[in-house]
Amino acid sequence: MGLLEDLTNLLGGSRTESDVAKDKQEAVDEAAKLDLEGLQSLIKKVMEMISSKTGELNGLQAQLKDLNPMDLLGEKGSNLKEQVSGLLSVVSTLKTKLGVYQDALKDKQ
């Protein structure tokens, strides 16, 4: 299990198998509508989004790390943890869909 999955589970942002299956099916349906060029463009956009969200996540994690124990247990820490959890969920969803898009691209090539 990687760091992303560990953090997701620790912060309560883990996605169920049903969520993952739904994301995969949405990606399969979307990929089926696109031609080769459209898939390549979509993959590029998703990779950029993952990179952007990962940057945001790193910033939030740095803020969490800098909190004193009282703030970490208080509202400030709770808000940051909630934001991290949300971003982890978004990144996980994007990675799931990216895998489907990449497989579809291989099939169309």
Side-chain angles (χ1 to χ4, degrees):
M1 191 176 268
L3 177 61
L4 179 66
E5 290 83 8
D6 290 342
L7 284 171
T8 302
N9 291 331
L10 284 172
L11 294 171
S14 60
R15 296 171 49 228
T16 65
E17 288 181 34
S18 174
D19 293 335
V20 173
K22 179 182 163 207
D23 291 339
K24 284 183 178 181
Q25 188 57 52
E26 286 175 2
V28 165
D29 294 344
E30 189 172 4
K33 298 174 188 174
L34 299 172
D35 61 6
L36 190 63
E37 189 176 299
L39 269 173
Q40 290 171 331
S41 176
L42 182 58
I43 288 170
K44 182 180 176 184
K45 287 177 187 175
V46 171
M47 290 176 76
E48 289 170 354
M49 290 172 64
I50 290 171
S51 179
S52 172
K53 296 298 180 189
T54 301
E56 289 179 47
L57 184 59
N58 290 338
L60 290 174
Q61 289 172 327
Q63 290 178 42
L64 274 171
K65 183 180 174 185
D66 290 342
L67 290 180
N68 66 48
M70 291 305 292
D71 284 340
L72 187 58
L73 294 172
E75 187 176 335
K76 190 181 237 183
S78 179
N79 289 339
L80 284 173
K81 289 175 194 174
E82 189 175 302
Q83 290 175 33
V84 168
S85 180
L87 279 173
L88 287 170
S89 181
V90 169
V91 169
S92 181
T93 297
L94 289 170
K95 286 185 174 184
T96 297
K97 290 184 175 189
L98 178 63
V100 172
Y101 299 146
Q102 289 172 327
D103 289 344
L105 181 65
K106 288 177 191 173
D107 292 343
K108 290 190 181 197
Q109 287 180 328

